[in-house]
Amino acid sequence: MKRIGLMGGTFDPIHVGHLVAADAARHALDLETVFFIPSNIPPHKREAPEATPEQRFEMVLLATLDHPQFEASRVEVDRPGPSFTIDTLREFRQMFPEAELWFITGADALLEILTWKDARELLTLASFVGATRPGYPLEKLSQVKEGLGRLADSRIKVLEVPALAISSRDLRKRVREGRPIRYMVRRLVERYIYKMGLYGGRPEGLES
Ligand code: ATP
Ligand code: MG
């Protein structure tokens, strides 16, 4: 059966941690395509994103363009209001009624999602794969799984990926402070950030 990967996130900005996790999942689960889905308004974040949905989408597009199995999806940026994962999964279910859907997250997001009130319903729509992430232990996972019942066993997988202690929050801070982000984001994303003046970066911040 065809398997599709879905990687949701704020992507403010998209970095190599996202890409490494997505590609590891693609390989491990034999996913035909991985859709990167930047949120419009993330309902669960404390602070609003700094870049606009359109800018975050464009960075995702630039970062994924040269991977034949990666796609940038407009599903959430085109849907007004807060971006709920349940709505996105329903949309992909309709677009790919025959496919197995795998929602790819980091360890932090996996635990968060599974403790949402509609977690059980989420599990009926897709399987979840959580990529290990430095600083976010998965010890609590077995407990959370137990609370979710039988379906959780087959529908939740953990994937070991090379540890990249990179976060969008830290990248925004680096840009603001004039510190390098080279090799932490794709080159075109780096150029985009400085050209658009995102995160308080100055155009001259882009060294050749
Ligand atoms: P922020 O610091 O703003 O929260 P972030 O780096 O966590 O940004 P998000 O857009 O919040 O990025 O994350 C999207 C998805 O990517 C989440 O499932 C998150 O757990 C996962 N992810 C982000 N960074 C990594 C990483 N370094 N390794 C593995 N997974 C990651
Ligand atoms: Mg995050």
Side-chain angles (χ1 to χ4, degrees):
M1 202 205 282
K2 182 156 128 166
R3 292 173 152 200
I4 302 261
L6 307 174
M7 177 114 192
T10 314
F11 303 122
D12 190 22
I14 186 167
H15 55 70
V16 297
H18 299 128
L19 296 163
V20 167
D23 206 46
R26 176 199 60 78
H27 177 79
L29 298 163
D30 197 21
L31 304 173
E32 192 172 278
T33 309
V34 176
F35 291 91
F36 287 74
I37 314 164
S39 56
N40 182 34
I41 301 167
H44 301 277
K45 287 227 168 181
R46 262 169 292 146
E47 310 144 20
E50 288 190 30
T52 66
E54 212 53 54
Q55 289 171 330
R56 290 181 287 106
F57 173 79
E58 282 172 357
M59 289 190 278
V60 166
L61 184 63
L62 291 174
T64 55
L65 205 53
D66 62 356
H67 194 311
Q69 288 167 285
F70 283 0
E71 297 281 343
S73 167
R74 297 194 56 91
V75 160
E76 291 190 0
V77 294
D78 285 344
R79 192 170 64 223
S83 308
F84 292 105
T85 299
I86 192 102
D87 298 331
T88 302
L89 292 183
R90 285 191 186 123
E91 261 188 69
F92 273 94
R93 261 271 139 265
Q94 278 184 355
M95 285 191 277
F96 301 98
E98 304 293 328
E100 220 175 88
L101 301 181
W102 282 86
F103 197 82
I104 307 163
T105 70
D108 55 318
L110 179 66
L111 283 175
E112 207 187 288
I113 288 171
L114 294 178
T115 48
W116 289 345
K117 65 171 185 350
D118 50 6
R120 248 179 259 266
E121 197 184 348
L122 290 171
L123 284 177
T124 65
L125 290 163
S127 301
F128 287 78
V129 52
T132 52
R133 182 174 186 186
Y136 300 97
L138 273 171
E139 284 146 16
K140 268 195 284 173
L141 184 63
S142 49
Q143 215 180 310
V144 172
K145 257 178 146 176
E146 265 172 43
L148 285 167
R150 283 252 315 282
L151 195 55
D153 263 333
S154 55
R155 293 281 170 99
I156 301 167
K157 278 202 188 329
V158 170
L159 181 67
E160 281 287 339
V161 303
L164 289 162
I166 298 175
S167 71
S168 300
R169 168 191 284 275
D170 178 60
L171 289 167
R172 296 192 296 271
K173 187 158 181 271
R174 282 171 172 273
V175 173
R176 198 157 50 241
E177 295 173 356
R179 288 185 289 139
I181 58 168
R182 207 171 199 171
Y183 307 121
M184 303 174 124
V185 298
R186 298 295 306 271
R187 188 67 171 145
L188 286 176
V189 172
E190 184 189 4
R191 296 198 92 92
Y192 184 99
I193 289 170
Y194 289 111
K195 283 214 167 173
M196 304 299 272
L198 291 179
Y199 317 124
R202 282 150 287 121
E204 58 273 26
L206 186 62
E207 306 147 41
S208 60

PDB file of all heavy atoms in Angstrom, residues 7-12 15 17-18 21 45 104-109 131-134 161 164-170 172, ligand 1:
ATOM      1  N   MET A   7       4.796  16.086   7.389  1.00  0.00           N
ATOM      2  CA  MET A   7       5.603  16.734   8.426  1.00  0.00           C
ATOM      3  C   MET A   7       5.029  18.121   8.684  1.00  0.00           C
ATOM      4  O   MET A   7       5.159  19.018   7.850  1.00  0.00           O
ATOM      5  CB  MET A   7       7.056  16.823   7.954  1.00  0.00           C
ATOM      6  CG  MET A   7       7.962  17.538   8.918  1.00  0.00           C
ATOM      7  SD  MET A   7       9.183  16.419   9.596  1.00  0.00           S
ATOM      8  CE  MET A   7       9.868  17.380  10.929  1.00  0.00           C
ATOM      9  N   GLY A   8       4.348  18.257   9.801  1.00  0.00           N
ATOM     10  CA  GLY A   8       3.762  19.544  10.154  1.00  0.00           C
ATOM     11  C   GLY A   8       4.728  20.349  10.999  1.00  0.00           C
ATOM     12  O   GLY A   8       5.599  19.784  11.669  1.00  0.00           O
ATOM     13  N   GLY A   9       4.604  21.661  10.970  1.00  0.00           N
ATOM     14  CA  GLY A   9       5.450  22.486  11.814  1.00  0.00           C
ATOM     15  C   GLY A   9       5.221  23.959  11.554  1.00  0.00           C
ATOM     16  O   GLY A   9       4.493  24.330  10.634  1.00  0.00           O
ATOM     17  N   THR A  10       5.842  24.767  12.389  1.00  0.00           N
ATOM     18  CA  THR A  10       5.770  26.207  12.150  1.00  0.00           C
ATOM     19  C   THR A  10       6.821  26.594  11.101  1.00  0.00           C
ATOM     20  O   THR A  10       6.610  27.486  10.295  1.00  0.00           O
ATOM     21  CB  THR A  10       6.024  26.979  13.464  1.00  0.00           C
ATOM     22  OG1 THR A  10       5.255  26.364  14.499  1.00  0.00           O
ATOM     23  CG2 THR A  10       5.594  28.426  13.333  1.00  0.00           C
ATOM     24  N   PHE A  11       7.957  25.914  11.159  1.00  0.00           N
ATOM     25  CA  PHE A  11       9.045  26.151  10.203  1.00  0.00           C
ATOM     26  C   PHE A  11       9.419  27.627  10.140  1.00  0.00           C
ATOM     27  O   PHE A  11       9.429  28.241   9.079  1.00  0.00           O
ATOM     28  CB  PHE A  11       8.685  25.606   8.813  1.00  0.00           C
ATOM     29  CG  PHE A  11       8.355  24.132   8.798  1.00  0.00           C
ATOM     30  CD1 PHE A  11       7.134  23.661   8.342  1.00  0.00           C
ATOM     31  CD2 PHE A  11       9.284  23.204   9.272  1.00  0.00           C
ATOM     32  CE1 PHE A  11       6.834  22.302   8.343  1.00  0.00           C
ATOM     33  CE2 PHE A  11       8.995  21.837   9.279  1.00  0.00           C
ATOM     34  CZ  PHE A  11       7.762  21.390   8.806  1.00  0.00           C
ATOM     35  N   ASP A  12       9.759  28.180  11.294  1.00  0.00           N
ATOM     36  CA  ASP A  12      10.034  29.620  11.434  1.00  0.00           C
ATOM     37  C   ASP A  12      11.474  29.833  11.914  1.00  0.00           C
ATOM     38  O   ASP A  12      11.660  30.365  13.020  1.00  0.00           O
ATOM     39  CB  ASP A  12       9.009  30.195  12.436  1.00  0.00           C
ATOM     40  CG  ASP A  12       9.016  31.713  12.489  1.00  0.00           C
ATOM     41  OD1 ASP A  12       9.464  32.341  11.524  1.00  0.00           O
ATOM     42  OD2 ASP A  12       8.559  32.275  13.515  1.00  0.00           O
ATOM     43  N   HIS A  15      14.811  24.092   9.167  1.00  0.00           N
ATOM     44  CA  HIS A  15      16.254  23.876   9.339  1.00  0.00           C
ATOM     45  C   HIS A  15      16.610  22.427   9.048  1.00  0.00           C
ATOM     46  O   HIS A  15      15.726  21.601   8.761  1.00  0.00           O
ATOM     47  CB  HIS A  15      16.675  24.322  10.751  1.00  0.00           C
ATOM     48  CG  HIS A  15      15.908  23.679  11.876  1.00  0.00           C
ATOM     49  ND1 HIS A  15      16.035  22.355  12.214  1.00  0.00           N
ATOM     50  CD2 HIS A  15      14.970  24.195  12.740  1.00  0.00           C
ATOM     51  CE1 HIS A  15      15.244  22.081  13.248  1.00  0.00           C
ATOM     52  NE2 HIS A  15      14.577  23.172  13.584  1.00  0.00           N
ATOM     53  N   GLY A  17      17.500  20.034  10.944  1.00  0.00           N
ATOM     54  CA  GLY A  17      16.906  19.054  11.862  1.00  0.00           C
ATOM     55  C   GLY A  17      15.596  18.511  11.299  1.00  0.00           C
ATOM     56  O   GLY A  17      15.327  17.304  11.354  1.00  0.00           O
ATOM     57  N   HIS A  18      14.772  19.396  10.739  1.00  0.00           N
ATOM     58  CA  HIS A  18      13.507  18.980  10.117  1.00  0.00           C
ATOM     59  C   HIS A  18      13.774  18.052   8.932  1.00  0.00           C
ATOM     60  O   HIS A  18      13.113  17.025   8.757  1.00  0.00           O
ATOM     61  CB  HIS A  18      12.726  20.195   9.583  1.00  0.00           C
ATOM     62  CG  HIS A  18      12.331  21.199  10.619  1.00  0.00           C
ATOM     63  ND1 HIS A  18      12.619  22.530  10.494  1.00  0.00           N
ATOM     64  CD2 HIS A  18      11.662  21.057  11.800  1.00  0.00           C
ATOM     65  CE1 HIS A  18      12.140  23.186  11.542  1.00  0.00           C
ATOM     66  NE2 HIS A  18      11.563  22.318  12.361  1.00  0.00           N
ATOM     67  N   ALA A  21      15.197  14.530   9.915  1.00  0.00           N
ATOM     68  CA  ALA A  21      14.140  13.694  10.497  1.00  0.00           C
ATOM     69  C   ALA A  21      13.198  13.193   9.398  1.00  0.00           C
ATOM     70  O   ALA A  21      12.837  12.011   9.353  1.00  0.00           O
ATOM     71  CB  ALA A  21      13.361  14.477  11.554  1.00  0.00           C
ATOM     72  N   LYS A  45       1.205  27.166  20.160  1.00  0.00           N
ATOM     73  CA  LYS A  45       2.448  27.868  20.494  1.00  0.00           C
ATOM     74  C   LYS A  45       2.162  29.088  21.356  1.00  0.00           C
ATOM     75  O   LYS A  45       1.163  29.771  21.156  1.00  0.00           O
ATOM     76  CB  LYS A  45       3.172  28.306  19.220  1.00  0.00           C
ATOM     77  CG  LYS A  45       3.802  27.134  18.490  1.00  0.00           C
ATOM     78  CD  LYS A  45       5.232  27.430  18.080  1.00  0.00           C
ATOM     79  CE  LYS A  45       5.890  26.128  17.636  1.00  0.00           C
ATOM     80  NZ  LYS A  45       7.264  26.279  17.244  1.00  0.00           N
ATOM     81  N   ILE A 104       4.895  12.768  10.757  1.00  0.00           N
ATOM     82  CA  ILE A 104       6.275  12.776  11.273  1.00  0.00           C
ATOM     83  C   ILE A 104       6.453  13.943  12.240  1.00  0.00           C
ATOM     84  O   ILE A 104       6.128  15.088  11.908  1.00  0.00           O
ATOM     85  CB  ILE A 104       7.283  12.919  10.111  1.00  0.00           C
ATOM     86  CG1 ILE A 104       7.034  11.842   9.044  1.00  0.00           C
ATOM     87  CG2 ILE A 104       8.718  12.885  10.622  1.00  0.00           C
ATOM     88  CD1 ILE A 104       7.686  12.157   7.697  1.00  0.00           C
ATOM     89  N   THR A 105       6.973  13.657  13.425  1.00  0.00           N
ATOM     90  CA  THR A 105       7.207  14.717  14.410  1.00  0.00           C
ATOM     91  C   THR A 105       8.548  14.477  15.093  1.00  0.00           C
ATOM     92  O   THR A 105       9.123  13.397  14.980  1.00  0.00           O
ATOM     93  CB  THR A 105       6.150  14.698  15.532  1.00  0.00           C
ATOM     94  OG1 THR A 105       6.380  13.537  16.332  1.00  0.00           O
ATOM     95  CG2 THR A 105       4.739  14.673  15.009  1.00  0.00           C
ATOM     96  N   GLY A 106       9.018  15.462  15.827  1.00  0.00           N
ATOM     97  CA  GLY A 106      10.131  15.252  16.741  1.00  0.00           C
ATOM     98  C   GLY A 106       9.582  14.726  18.053  1.00  0.00           C
ATOM     99  O   GLY A 106       8.365  14.749  18.284  1.00  0.00           O
ATOM    100  N   ALA A 107      10.489  14.269  18.923  1.00  0.00           N
ATOM    101  CA  ALA A 107      10.079  13.667  20.186  1.00  0.00           C
ATOM    102  C   ALA A 107       9.188  14.610  21.008  1.00  0.00           C
ATOM    103  O   ALA A 107       8.199  14.189  21.615  1.00  0.00           O
ATOM    104  CB  ALA A 107      11.314  13.288  20.997  1.00  0.00           C
ATOM    105  N   ASP A 108       9.507  15.900  21.003  1.00  0.00           N
ATOM    106  CA  ASP A 108       8.725  16.868  21.791  1.00  0.00           C
ATOM    107  C   ASP A 108       7.293  16.969  21.269  1.00  0.00           C
ATOM    108  O   ASP A 108       6.325  16.877  22.019  1.00  0.00           O
ATOM    109  CB  ASP A 108       9.390  18.254  21.765  1.00  0.00           C
ATOM    110  CG  ASP A 108       9.635  18.786  20.361  1.00  0.00           C
ATOM    111  OD1 ASP A 108      10.068  18.005  19.485  1.00  0.00           O
ATOM    112  OD2 ASP A 108       9.391  19.979  20.116  1.00  0.00           O
ATOM    113  N   ALA A 109       7.170  17.102  19.966  1.00  0.00           N
ATOM    114  CA  ALA A 109       5.844  17.254  19.367  1.00  0.00           C
ATOM    115  C   ALA A 109       5.035  15.968  19.487  1.00  0.00           C
ATOM    116  O   ALA A 109       3.809  16.011  19.659  1.00  0.00           O
ATOM    117  CB  ALA A 109       5.976  17.657  17.908  1.00  0.00           C
ATOM    118  N   ALA A 131      10.677  11.294  15.768  1.00  0.00           N
ATOM    119  CA  ALA A 131      12.131  11.262  15.620  1.00  0.00           C
ATOM    120  C   ALA A 131      12.769  11.732  16.912  1.00  0.00           C
ATOM    121  O   ALA A 131      12.330  12.724  17.506  1.00  0.00           O
ATOM    122  CB  ALA A 131      12.549  12.161  14.463  1.00  0.00           C
ATOM    123  N   THR A 132      13.801  11.022  17.356  1.00  0.00           N
ATOM    124  CA  THR A 132      14.500  11.430  18.571  1.00  0.00           C
ATOM    125  C   THR A 132      15.063  12.838  18.376  1.00  0.00           C
ATOM    126  O   THR A 132      15.421  13.234  17.268  1.00  0.00           O
ATOM    127  CB  THR A 132      15.651  10.451  18.889  1.00  0.00           C
ATOM    128  OG1 THR A 132      16.472  10.312  17.722  1.00  0.00           O
ATOM    129  CG2 THR A 132      15.102   9.093  19.285  1.00  0.00           C
ATOM    130  N   ARG A 133      15.100  13.607  19.467  1.00  0.00           N
ATOM    131  CA  ARG A 133      15.570  14.986  19.387  1.00  0.00           C
ATOM    132  C   ARG A 133      16.308  15.319  20.680  1.00  0.00           C
ATOM    133  O   ARG A 133      15.775  15.062  21.771  1.00  0.00           O
ATOM    134  CB  ARG A 133      14.352  15.909  19.203  1.00  0.00           C
ATOM    135  CG  ARG A 133      14.714  17.356  19.050  1.00  0.00           C
ATOM    136  CD  ARG A 133      13.516  18.232  18.732  1.00  0.00           C
ATOM    137  NE  ARG A 133      13.999  19.582  18.470  1.00  0.00           N
ATOM    138  CZ  ARG A 133      13.231  20.636  18.279  1.00  0.00           C
ATOM    139  NH1 ARG A 133      11.918  20.499  18.296  1.00  0.00           N
ATOM    140  NH2 ARG A 133      13.761  21.817  18.048  1.00  0.00           N
ATOM    141  N   PRO A 134      17.524  15.881  20.576  1.00  0.00           N
ATOM    142  CA  PRO A 134      18.288  16.165  21.793  1.00  0.00           C
ATOM    143  C   PRO A 134      17.505  17.061  22.751  1.00  0.00           C
ATOM    144  O   PRO A 134      16.886  18.036  22.322  1.00  0.00           O
ATOM    145  CB  PRO A 134      19.532  16.900  21.275  1.00  0.00           C
ATOM    146  CG  PRO A 134      19.614  16.612  19.818  1.00  0.00           C
ATOM    147  CD  PRO A 134      18.234  16.293  19.357  1.00  0.00           C
ATOM    148  N   VAL A 161      17.224   9.184  15.038  1.00  0.00           N
ATOM    149  CA  VAL A 161      17.873   9.955  13.969  1.00  0.00           C
ATOM    150  C   VAL A 161      19.126  10.612  14.543  1.00  0.00           C
ATOM    151  O   VAL A 161      19.232  10.818  15.756  1.00  0.00           O
ATOM    152  CB  VAL A 161      16.931  11.028  13.359  1.00  0.00           C
ATOM    153  CG1 VAL A 161      15.659  10.395  12.825  1.00  0.00           C
ATOM    154  CG2 VAL A 161      16.602  12.110  14.360  1.00  0.00           C
ATOM    155  N   LEU A 164      20.582  16.368  16.206  1.00  0.00           N
ATOM    156  CA  LEU A 164      20.876  17.732  15.776  1.00  0.00           C
ATOM    157  C   LEU A 164      20.207  18.677  16.760  1.00  0.00           C
ATOM    158  O   LEU A 164      18.998  18.816  16.768  1.00  0.00           O
ATOM    159  CB  LEU A 164      20.337  17.963  14.357  1.00  0.00           C
ATOM    160  CG  LEU A 164      21.095  17.244  13.242  1.00  0.00           C
ATOM    161  CD1 LEU A 164      20.274  17.166  11.969  1.00  0.00           C
ATOM    162  CD2 LEU A 164      22.428  17.934  12.983  1.00  0.00           C
ATOM    163  N   ALA A 165      21.031  19.294  17.606  1.00  0.00           N
ATOM    164  CA  ALA A 165      20.474  20.200  18.612  1.00  0.00           C
ATOM    165  C   ALA A 165      20.234  21.568  17.983  1.00  0.00           C
ATOM    166  O   ALA A 165      20.819  22.566  18.385  1.00  0.00           O
ATOM    167  CB  ALA A 165      21.404  20.284  19.817  1.00  0.00           C
ATOM    168  N   ILE A 166      19.384  21.570  16.979  1.00  0.00           N
ATOM    169  CA  ILE A 166      19.051  22.800  16.260  1.00  0.00           C
ATOM    170  C   ILE A 166      17.567  23.046  16.456  1.00  0.00           C
ATOM    171  O   ILE A 166      16.770  22.123  16.348  1.00  0.00           O
ATOM    172  CB  ILE A 166      19.356  22.640  14.751  1.00  0.00           C
ATOM    173  CG1 ILE A 166      20.847  22.378  14.530  1.00  0.00           C
ATOM    174  CG2 ILE A 166      18.896  23.861  13.958  1.00  0.00           C
ATOM    175  CD1 ILE A 166      21.217  22.084  13.086  1.00  0.00           C
ATOM    176  N   SER A 167      17.203  24.301  16.754  1.00  0.00           N
ATOM    177  CA  SER A 167      15.784  24.647  16.830  1.00  0.00           C
ATOM    178  C   SER A 167      15.571  25.973  16.118  1.00  0.00           C
ATOM    179  O   SER A 167      16.485  26.795  16.016  1.00  0.00           O
ATOM    180  CB  SER A 167      15.324  24.760  18.286  1.00  0.00           C
ATOM    181  OG  SER A 167      15.873  25.925  18.882  1.00  0.00           O
ATOM    182  N   SER A 168      14.361  26.185  15.641  1.00  0.00           N
ATOM    183  CA  SER A 168      14.038  27.440  14.963  1.00  0.00           C
ATOM    184  C   SER A 168      14.212  28.617  15.919  1.00  0.00           C
ATOM    185  O   SER A 168      14.695  29.682  15.542  1.00  0.00           O
ATOM    186  CB  SER A 168      12.600  27.399  14.439  1.00  0.00           C
ATOM    187  OG  SER A 168      12.440  26.337  13.539  1.00  0.00           O
ATOM    188  N   ARG A 169      13.805  28.394  17.176  1.00  0.00           N
ATOM    189  CA  ARG A 169      13.934  29.467  18.162  1.00  0.00           C
ATOM    190  C   ARG A 169      15.389  29.921  18.294  1.00  0.00           C
ATOM    191  O   ARG A 169      15.689  31.108  18.293  1.00  0.00           O
ATOM    192  CB  ARG A 169      13.403  28.988  19.522  1.00  0.00           C
ATOM    193  CG  ARG A 169      13.755  29.921  20.673  1.00  0.00           C
ATOM    194  CD  ARG A 169      13.439  29.279  22.005  1.00  0.00           C
ATOM    195  NE  ARG A 169      12.015  29.298  22.260  1.00  0.00           N
ATOM    196  CZ  ARG A 169      11.383  30.325  22.809  1.00  0.00           C
ATOM    197  NH1 ARG A 169      12.053  31.399  23.180  1.00  0.00           N
ATOM    198  NH2 ARG A 169      10.099  30.289  23.006  1.00  0.00           N
ATOM    199  N   ASP A 170      16.300  28.955  18.380  1.00  0.00           N
ATOM    200  CA  ASP A 170      17.716  29.296  18.501  1.00  0.00           C
ATOM    201  C   ASP A 170      18.222  29.976  17.230  1.00  0.00           C
ATOM    202  O   ASP A 170      19.021  30.914  17.297  1.00  0.00           O
ATOM    203  CB  ASP A 170      18.544  28.044  18.799  1.00  0.00           C
ATOM    204  CG  ASP A 170      20.029  28.358  18.871  1.00  0.00           C
ATOM    205  OD1 ASP A 170      20.417  29.177  19.718  1.00  0.00           O
ATOM    206  OD2 ASP A 170      20.799  27.815  18.049  1.00  0.00           O
ATOM    207  N   ARG A 172      16.486  31.904  15.187  1.00  0.00           N
ATOM    208  CA  ARG A 172      15.984  33.291  15.185  1.00  0.00           C
ATOM    209  C   ARG A 172      16.866  34.159  16.082  1.00  0.00           C
ATOM    210  O   ARG A 172      17.195  35.298  15.739  1.00  0.00           O
ATOM    211  CB  ARG A 172      14.523  33.338  15.668  1.00  0.00           C
ATOM    212  CG  ARG A 172      13.542  32.615  14.756  1.00  0.00           C
ATOM    213  CD  ARG A 172      12.088  32.927  15.122  1.00  0.00           C
ATOM    214  NE  ARG A 172      11.675  32.470  16.434  1.00  0.00           N
ATOM    215  CZ  ARG A 172      11.154  31.265  16.706  1.00  0.00           C
ATOM    216  NH1 ARG A 172      11.007  30.367  15.749  1.00  0.00           N
ATOM    217  NH2 ARG A 172      10.781  30.944  17.942  1.00  0.00           N
TER     218      ARG A 172
HETATM  219  P1  ATP B   1      10.676  26.288  17.616  1.00  0.00           P
HETATM  220  O1  ATP B   1      12.008  26.375  18.292  1.00  0.00           O
HETATM  221  O2  ATP B   1      10.177  27.589  17.085  1.00  0.00           O
HETATM  222  O3  ATP B   1       9.639  25.510  18.376  1.00  0.00           O
HETATM  223  P2  ATP B   1      11.362  23.895  16.101  1.00  0.00           P
HETATM  224  O4  ATP B   1      12.817  23.837  15.758  1.00  0.00           O
HETATM  225  O5  ATP B   1      10.894  23.075  17.266  1.00  0.00           O
HETATM  226  O6  ATP B   1      10.934  25.415  16.263  1.00  0.00           O
HETATM  227  P3  ATP B   1       8.937  23.340  14.721  1.00  0.00           P
HETATM  228  O7  ATP B   1       8.480  24.021  13.494  1.00  0.00           O
HETATM  229  O8  ATP B   1       8.319  23.690  16.036  1.00  0.00           O
HETATM  230  O9  ATP B   1      10.534  23.546  14.813  1.00  0.00           O
HETATM  231  O10 ATP B   1       8.906  21.763  14.564  1.00  0.00           O
HETATM  232  C1  ATP B   1       8.289  21.043  13.527  1.00  0.00           C
HETATM  233  C2  ATP B   1       8.522  19.554  13.794  1.00  0.00           C
HETATM  234  O11 ATP B   1       9.913  19.234  13.638  1.00  0.00           O
HETATM  235  C3  ATP B   1       8.164  19.132  15.233  1.00  0.00           C
HETATM  236  O12 ATP B   1       7.578  17.852  15.151  1.00  0.00           O
HETATM  237  C4  ATP B   1       9.508  19.068  15.915  1.00  0.00           C
HETATM  238  O13 ATP B   1       9.514  18.177  17.006  1.00  0.00           O
HETATM  239  C5  ATP B   1      10.410  18.573  14.793  1.00  0.00           C
HETATM  240  N1  ATP B   1      11.811  18.980  14.961  1.00  0.00           N
HETATM  241  C6  ATP B   1      12.298  20.234  15.002  1.00  0.00           C
HETATM  242  N2  ATP B   1      13.628  20.262  15.175  1.00  0.00           N
HETATM  243  C7  ATP B   1      14.024  18.968  15.242  1.00  0.00           C
HETATM  244  C8  ATP B   1      15.309  18.340  15.432  1.00  0.00           C
HETATM  245  N3  ATP B   1      16.431  19.066  15.595  1.00  0.00           N
HETATM  246  N4  ATP B   1      15.352  16.977  15.442  1.00  0.00           N
HETATM  247  C9  ATP B   1      14.205  16.265  15.295  1.00  0.00           C
HETATM  248  N5  ATP B   1      12.975  16.792  15.115  1.00  0.00           N
HETATM  249  C10 ATP B   1      12.871  18.130  15.090  1.00  0.00           C
END
